[in-house]
Every structure is written in C-alpha cells, then in structure tokens.
Amino acid sequence: MATYKVRVATGTDFLSGTMDSISLIIVGTQGESHKQLLNHFGRDFATGAVDDYTVQCQQDLGDLIIVRLFKERYSFFPKNPWYCNYVQVCVPNGRIYHFPAYQWMDGYETLSLREATGKTAADDTLPILLEHRKEELRAKQDFYHWRVFVPGLPNYVHIPSYRPPARRNPNRPEWNGYIPGFPILINFKATRFLDLNLRYSFTKTAAFFFRLSPMALGFKLRGLVDSKRSWKKLKDIKKIFPGNKSVVFEYVAEHWAEDSFFGYQYLNGINPGLLCRCTRIPDKFPVTDDMVAPFLGEGTCLQAELEKGNIYLADYRILEGIPAVELNGQKQYHCAPLCLLHFGREGNLLPIAIQLSQTPGPNCPIFLPSDSEWDWLLAKTWVRYAEFYCHEGISHLLETHLIAEAFCLALLRQLPMCHPLYKLLIPHTRYTIQINSIGRAVLLNEGGLSARSMSLGLSGFAEAMVRALSEIKYENLYLPDDFVRRGVQDLPGYYYREDSLAVWDALERYVTEIITYYYPCDAAVEGDLELQSWVQEIFKECLLGRESSGFPTCLRTVPELIRYVTIVIYTCSAKHAAVNTGQLEFTAWMPNFPSSMRNPPIQAKGLTTLETFLDTLPDIKTTCIILLVLWTLSREPDDKRPLGHFPDIHFVEEAPRRSIETLRQRLAQISHNIRQRNKCLPIPYYYLDPMLIENSISI
C-alpha cells in the first residue's frame, strides 16, 4: 500500500467555497489511484480553507503527472461554483507535487490539472501529457472565440458580456444600475454572461460599483446632470470636485492656465508619449522667426534653436477631418491642432505657437503667447481638447486596453497552463477582459459615454482609434527606441522617461532570466509551435494581419522572444499605469481636459472673452458625465496586485522563483528612488512607482 497526502486549497474571495462533492484521481507514470471522495466530518471546501486528505493506493504511482478533480451534486443542495487555488500531493518518499488550478469549477464537471513544472511541447514525451495539452487547448478554443467589435480595431472575446440596462421598471423596486436622467452605465445582472474565470472577484466587483453609485446619485440630487447650460464662472467647476483631493489635483486647478504647466504635461502628464523633437518647421505650420523670436530669449533665433534641438512639436493630425456631432441638442466642434514648444534656458518647456488646423490660411491664424489672454488660453484649451482624444482613445483605450485584451485572449487560446510563457504572462492578464467589457459598455456602445459627452461621438471616437491602429509600428513599442525615435532621450525633467526606462529594464532582465532558463537556444524558440501560434494569432486578431505594422508572425531567436514578451508585460502593466493612474488628477479640472467644444475654432484674433470661453467649454451635464466616468475608471478597486507580486504559484522550479524575488527587489529599489526624488519636486510624479503599478489592466 502507498499512502498519498493530498492538500486542496480553496480561494479566499467571498463565495469561493462550495457545498458540492469533490472527488479526486491521482495519475502517475506507473498507474492511477481510484476515484476518492474528499470528505471530512463537517464542512469541506469552505472559502479560504486548506483541507488535507489521505489517499491509499494498492501500488506506488511513480512520478505524479496529473490530478483529476470531479465536482458533483451533494445531497439536496443546489449547484454552486467552487474556486480551486491548487492541489498538492505528498508522495511516500516525502516529495511534494504542486498542481496549480486558480480557476472556477462552475457546474458538475471534471478538471484535469498538470503538475506545475513548466514545459513546452518539446519537453513532453509521455503520450498522456501530449494529449492533455492538446485537449486543454482544444477545449479553450471551442469556448473562447474572436469577435469583430469595430472594423479596424483589435478583435475581442466572443462571449456575451456587458449590455446596456433597461430603464427601471416602476413595478419592480430593486435598482438595476440606472439613475433617471443620467447616462446608462452598467448593468449588474449582465455580469452573469461573462465566464467566471474572467470576472472580477466579489471584492473588486463590490468596490467598483459601490464607489460609482454615491457620486452619480450626488450629481443627480444636486440637479447637475440635468443642466445643459454653460458654467457661469470658472470657479464654479470646483463645486463638482470629488472629496479627496491630492497635491497634483490641487496644483492642476491652480496652475492649469500657465504656459509652464501646459508644457509640463507633455512630459509628465497622462499622455507623455506624444511629443517629438522638431528639426524642421513643417510647411503646414508656417511659423516664422519674427513670430516667435520674443519667446526664445536673447541672442538666438528659431533656426538656431531648431539646430540645438530645443524646439518640439505636438501634432494632432490623426484627428483631422473627423466630423463632430450634436450633444444635448447643440452642435459640437472639432479641430486637429499643431503646437510648437521651446525648451528654454530656465529649464521649462513652453508653448510658443499654436495653429488650430492642419491647413494654414487666412481663417486659421497662428496664436502666440503675446496674443490677448483669452485668445491664447482658448487656443491652448483647443490643444488640450485634442489631447483628450489622443489620450483616452489612442494612448489609453487602444494602446493598452484593447491590445492587452488581444494578448490575453491569444494566450488563453494558444498556450496551455503548463507552458512557461503561460506561467510568465498569466498574472498580467488578470481582469483585463472584465474591465474591457465594462469599457465597451461605458465608452463604445450606443447611448453610452461617447454618444453623450464627446464632440466626436461614438463613430468619431472609434475612427480616431482605427486610424491609430493602422499606423502602429512594432518597433515603436520597444520603449528605449521610442524615446530615441521621438528625439526626447535627453530632454531634462522628463520623469516619465526616467521611471519608465527603470521599470522596463527591471522587467526585461526578469524576462531574460525566465526565457533563457526554458529556451536554451534559438532552435527551441523556433520549434515551439504553441508559441508560434500565439504570435500568429496576435498578428491576425490584434494587428488584423497588417504587414506594415512590423509585428512578427513568428519568432526565431531567444532575443526576439525576450523583446516580444517584455513588450507584452510592459503594455499590460506599467504602460497602462502611466496613462491611467493620473486621469482624475489631471482631468477633474475640466478646462484642462475638455471632451467637447461648443463653438468653432477661433478664426480671428481679439474676439475671445471670458464669456465666449465659458460658452465654448462643455456644458454642466457633459462635465459631470465625463468626471464620473474618469473618477470611476481611474480609481483602482480593492483586490490589487502590485507589479512583481504573484501570490498564485505557477512556477515551482528554483530558478524562476529566484528571478521573481530578484524582480521584486529591483522594483522595490526603483520605488524607493522615485519616492526620494519626489520629495524635492513641486509636482510629484509617482504614476510609475512600482508599488502603485498593477500587474495587469484591471481598471
């Protein structure tokens, strides 16, 4: 007789336990156990429980390779889900085998778990293991399908997800997520359509929704969401600020109109990847030396500053020609501006010229800091309006959320749980499909945010993203090269660059250690057909097969794989943090980040007043809608997992476990350095503090 000690861990989230019966079969290289019911006196598999059992076998089973869990009906109790963290089996010689699960068993079903050692298909020699990985992928590919959401954007998971809720039925007393007079946002009941393994935990769901509700209801009770009038005074906008205000929050409201802060936001705001060094003034932006000489300092000229590398350009051409819509019964307006900035001797990046169209002409003046106060401020506000779309649509939604979801779905469909890349990447996909389902309901559905509060509406917002995806280049996603390409690799005061490169380096070194452990040579990379299928599916479903993107359709060398995986992890973690975490702080003061403009771009100088400025900004209702959504989507709910913290045990080998610990130490040092630096800054930059970065896109 051989005695096997079995340990089964149930998830700690609320309602992770089950009343159903759980049985187990242990499979080894020399045989398998009988099916044994795992049952103690009293409650088994309660939330957070770690239950121990004994399994007796007639013979030694050899090396353990699989455990099978059976979830079956128990007595008269109704079926309920069970979240299994892992199974551990201690064999007679004392060795412990680990079988990671970290997934739900919803119905009465069987779950087969591989022993945790990371293996590519080439590492498997036993027919039962080769068949297991094929069957796992076959099952996931049958369940998860790709679906076109908007033609020209990355495809997404084709399972029923969030849907706009119906208006409240007066015959039913419960609240279904709808506030009368307020935009439709979320339907609580729609969560049942999403696979349990992709949903938020109970804790995160509760935190997300119940932080949203009080603020929405407060706006409604104060009558703000029904008001279609203009703001009477700029200071009135402060009345809708959320209660907890950070240092950055207050600074933005106080300094938003200053040229120095306008320039600062290109470096350390929420869209810090747009600015490029300008070596030649483009023909479409006919700025002359006479125009800007007064703002360059004594003893220099525009050409000299261009040659020194002190002139920078923000070009919003990607927004050109997209038609605006009506909001609240009023026509909205749009433009695609150009903004020229100068890095001066005082160490500030300052705007020196703004044109509100891509086509120069008599009705398109170039605005200068010497123009009237309100002309210059309105011109800068038009640029900030364009920033809204380049940030929210392109840098944030497209380049992190939608692309990361494609990475995630391809991972689920093409890599089995035992694959080293699955183990490496799965922590960086947590909750991404869930939050994107919410995002599609809020941002990209008829009657949602885009249709109610953006000048471009739903189709225009999507069009900006479609254009951006058609221009994305793989080489630009390699962060160190991107700074060089944009000519900002030595621009002082660029804390985003400093911090992002530090985090990138830590991630790249971590990925290198893991990849070189499992892939000793280039042939191992090229011969991994599961890896190649994952890469091909991303190219097809995310980049839509566009060869000009430069995205690989296969990987042939270890360095290529290291670069690719580092891009994936950085996109799913730090890149998202850089464009998401500061949203509320930089946008709550609406004039700094307007989503709509109610008057056309100014065509002549000297006509703008405070009154026309206020009449151009979004009305009160639109302001409230945008603030509510950004407040919700920038506040990370509970159940956080900071970068480098991997409580789920997927790797069991000593080498990758050491690499994980080394990564944590490197990230802790980066965090310490950032916090020490921020003590000396008037505006702290902490969006890439590793302690504040989530492993995955979960908000």
Side-chain angles (χ1 to χ4, degrees):
M1 296 289 289
T3 301
Y4 293 84
K5 297 178 180 179
V6 176
R7 173 167 290 178
V8 182
T10 297
T12 57
D13 189 46
F14 187 58
L15 300 178
S16 292
T18 186
M19 294 297 295
D20 292 340
S21 293
I22 305 296
S23 302
L24 170 140
I25 290 178
I26 305 171
V27 181
T29 55
Q30 297 179 16
E32 63 180 57
S33 71
H34 63 282
K35 179 180 176 182
Q36 177 166 323
L37 177 67
L38 303 181
N39 186 33
H40 286 142
F41 179 77
R43 175 74 187 276
D44 294 282
F45 312 111
T47 297
V50 178
D51 297 304
D52 292 319
Y53 305 91
T54 299
V55 175
Q56 298 286 349
C57 297
Q58 294 294 328
Q59 62 181 20
D60 187 287
L61 301 179
D63 292 332
L64 303 190
I65 53 177
I66 291 174
V67 296
R68 298 191 185 104
L69 295 172
F70 302 84
K71 184 168 172 285
E72 299 164 312
R73 183 181 183 88
Y74 174 69
S75 186
F76 57 84
F77 290 100
K79 176 185 68 176
N80 62 335
W82 176 49
Y83 188 87
C84 178
N85 275 348
Y86 60 83
V87 176
Q88 286 181 345
V89 182
C90 181
V91 300
N93 66 10
R95 178 181 175 183
I96 296 176
Y97 290 82
H98 183 76
F99 299 84
Y102 304 108
Q103 57 186 294
W104 290 93
M105 296 180 73
D106 191 6
Y108 300 137
E109 58 185 285
T110 301
L111 178 63
S112 293
L113 302 175
R114 284 268 310 242
E115 191 273 327
T117 302
K119 292 184 178 181
T120 65
D123 298 322
D124 275 337
T125 56
L126 295 176
I128 187 175
L129 294 181
L130 290 169
E131 182 58 32
H132 182 276
R133 67 192 306 139
K134 290 178 182 178
E135 180 56 35
E136 179 187 340
L137 292 179
R138 188 158 48 239
K140 290 195 290 187
Q141 289 167 11
D142 286 344
F143 186 78
Y144 298 115
H145 297 275
W146 291 97
R147 179 181 183 180
V148 176
F149 181 64
V150 174
L153 289 182
N155 296 328
Y156 76 112
V157 63
H158 185 191
I159 51 177
S161 186
Y162 282 104
R163 298 173 181 176
R167 292 178 179 272
R168 193 178 75 85
N169 184 338
N171 298 319
R172 298 180 64 186
E174 75 271 22
W175 183 60
N176 65 359
Y178 173 75
I179 298 177
F182 205 76
I184 294 170
L185 289 176
I186 304 293
N187 184 359
F188 289 100
K189 297 177 182 178
T191 59
R192 70 180 183 270
F193 294 113
L194 198 63
D195 175 32
L196 278 175
N197 289 308
L198 302 179
R199 293 188 205 173
Y200 275 173
S201 65
F202 179 88
T203 302
K204 206 172 188 78
T205 300
F208 183 92
F209 287 117
F210 288 103
R211 283 177 180 173
L212 168 69
S213 305
M215 189 172 182
L217 186 59
F219 283 163
K220 175 62 183 173
L221 294 177
R222 289 153 61 192
L224 295 174
V225 296
D226 296 319
S227 179
K228 300 178 182 179
R229 62 179 176 83
S230 300
W231 294 95
K232 291 183 179 179
K233 302 175 183 177
L234 281 171
K235 66 179 182 180
D236 290 345
I237 300 173
K238 284 190 175 182
K239 295 178 181 178
I240 66 169
F241 275 21
N244 298 325
K245 304 179 181 67
S246 69
V247 172
V248 177
F249 199 106
E250 297 281 11
Y251 192 96
V252 173
E254 185 69 25
H255 299 275
W256 68 282
E258 298 173 6
D259 287 356
S260 57
F261 182 67
F262 180 91
Y264 170 88
Q265 293 186 81
Y266 281 107
L267 303 181
N268 304 306
I270 54 176
N271 191 28
L274 177 75
L275 194 71
C276 294
R277 176 169 280 153
C278 182
T279 57
R280 175 184 172 276
I281 301 298
D283 294 338
K284 64 181 181 180
F285 194 13
V287 177
T288 66
D289 186 66
D290 290 341
M291 290 179 182
V292 298
F295 320 119
L296 302 178
E298 296 182 1
T300 189
C301 64
L302 180 57
Q303 184 58 39
E305 293 302 297
L306 286 167
E307 293 173 359
K308 292 176 184 177
N310 291 331
I311 303 297
Y312 296 86
L313 178 66
D315 187 348
Y316 299 89
R317 61 171 181 77
I318 203 162
L319 302 176
E320 184 181 15
I322 302 177
V325 299
E326 285 191 2
L327 290 178
N328 303 321
Q330 183 174 356
K331 181 175 174 56
Q332 306 295 300
Y333 295 89
H334 177 67
C335 77
L338 296 115
C339 180
L340 202 66
L341 300 101
H342 175 243
F343 188 82
R345 299 188 183 104
E346 297 78 14
N348 291 323
L349 184 68
L350 302 175
I352 56 174
I354 294 172
Q355 180 177 289
L356 300 182
S357 170
Q358 295 287 308
T359 306
N363 293 327
C364 184
I366 294 176
F367 293 92
L368 306 170
S370 55
D371 292 335
S372 71
E373 175 187 0
W374 292 108
D375 277 353
W376 181 236
L377 184 59
L378 184 54
K380 290 191 295 181
T381 304
W382 271 108
V383 174
R384 295 300 302 164
Y385 158 85
E387 271 285 294
F388 178 95
Y389 289 95
C390 285
H391 168 265
E392 292 296 345
I394 299 172
S395 301
H396 187 196
L397 184 55
L398 171 65
E399 294 183 355
T400 62
H401 280 264
L402 300 186
I403 288 179
E405 182 175 9
F407 292 157
C408 172
L409 185 54
L411 176 77
L412 293 175
R413 284 172 45 85
Q414 299 299 339
L415 297 178
M417 287 183 63
C418 63
H419 197 288
L421 290 181
Y422 181 97
K423 296 174 180 290
L424 177 60
L425 294 172
I426 195 63
H428 305 288
T429 67
R430 185 174 184 251
Y431 300 147
T432 298
I433 290 178
Q434 167 80 93
I435 189 58
N436 282 6
S437 299
I438 299 173
R440 276 185 282 271
V442 174
L443 295 172
L444 293 174
N445 70 318
E446 294 295 341
L449 172 63
S450 298
R452 291 173 176 262
S453 58
M454 297 185 187
S455 284
L456 295 186
L458 175 61
S459 60
F461 191 59
E463 173 62 21
M465 291 189 288
V466 169
R467 293 180 180 184
L469 183 64
S470 71
E471 296 183 5
I472 282 181
K473 302 290 186 184
Y474 178 68
E475 61 189 20
N476 296 341
L477 299 185
Y478 187 73
L479 188 73
D481 290 355
D482 179 62
F483 290 114
V484 176
R485 176 188 64 85
R486 294 190 291 116
V488 294
Q489 68 273 20
D490 54 0
L491 184 56
Y494 202 178
Y495 307 120
Y496 160 74
R497 182 194 62 225
E498 295 176 8
D499 298 350
S500 63
L501 287 175
V503 173
W504 175 279
D505 179 67
L507 291 175
E508 190 171 45
R509 291 164 70 181
Y510 165 63
V511 169
T512 299
E513 292 171 8
I514 299 291
I515 295 299
T516 53
Y517 177 77
Y518 290 102
Y519 292 91
C521 61
D522 293 343
V525 172
E526 189 168 13
D528 187 345
L529 299 183
E530 292 168 341
L531 160 63
Q532 302 304 341
S533 295
W534 175 60
V535 172
Q536 290 165 10
E537 188 152 292
I538 290 172
F539 176 74
K540 177 185 175 183
E541 303 293 347
C542 180
L543 281 300
L544 308 180
R546 183 172 59 85
E547 295 182 359
S548 61
S549 68
F551 265 74
T553 57
C554 65
L555 299 174
R556 293 188 172 89
T557 68
V558 171
E560 287 178 0
L561 178 57
I562 291 170
R563 174 174 288 213
Y564 195 94
V565 171
T566 305
I567 288 172
V568 170
I569 295 178
Y570 182 83
T571 299
C572 295
S573 56
K575 185 174 183 178
H576 176 254
V579 298
N580 178 78
T581 308
Q583 277 188 110
L584 185 63
E585 294 179 320
F586 280 87
T587 63
W589 177 255
M590 177 271 292
N592 189 55
F593 209 62
S595 64
S596 66
M597 298 292 263
R598 296 181 296 149
N599 283 325
I602 37 182
Q603 298 181 351
K605 296 185 178 184
L607 302 178
T608 309
T609 64
L610 172 60
E611 182 179 0
T612 57
F613 182 81
L614 292 171
D615 285 341
T616 302
L617 292 177
D619 58 32
I620 295 175
K621 178 177 182 178
T622 302
T623 304
C624 290
I625 294 172
I626 286 292
L627 179 58
L628 174 66
V629 174
L630 295 177
W631 182 82
T632 304
L633 298 182
S634 63
R635 292 175 62 87
E636 184 68 50
D638 297 334
D639 191 13
K640 303 175 186 177
R641 291 189 178 177
L643 186 61
H645 291 257
F646 309 128
D648 296 349
I649 304 172
H650 289 282
F651 286 113
V652 292
E653 299 95 315
E654 184 178 348
R657 299 296 298 173
R658 283 199 308 267
S659 296
I660 290 172
E661 182 56 35
T662 302
L663 172 65
R664 288 178 183 157
Q665 294 172 3
R666 289 170 181 155
L667 293 175
Q669 184 60 53
I670 294 170
S671 177
H672 173 77
N673 295 344
I674 289 173
R675 296 183 183 205
Q676 290 299 114
R677 177 202 64 201
N678 285 344
K679 291 179 180 179
C680 305
L681 299 179
I683 314 174
Y685 184 79
Y686 43 74
Y687 303 133
L688 288 173
D689 181 341
M691 297 301 104
L692 303 179
I693 299 173
E694 273 273 308
N695 272 329
S696 61
I697 298 174
S698 60
I699 188 62

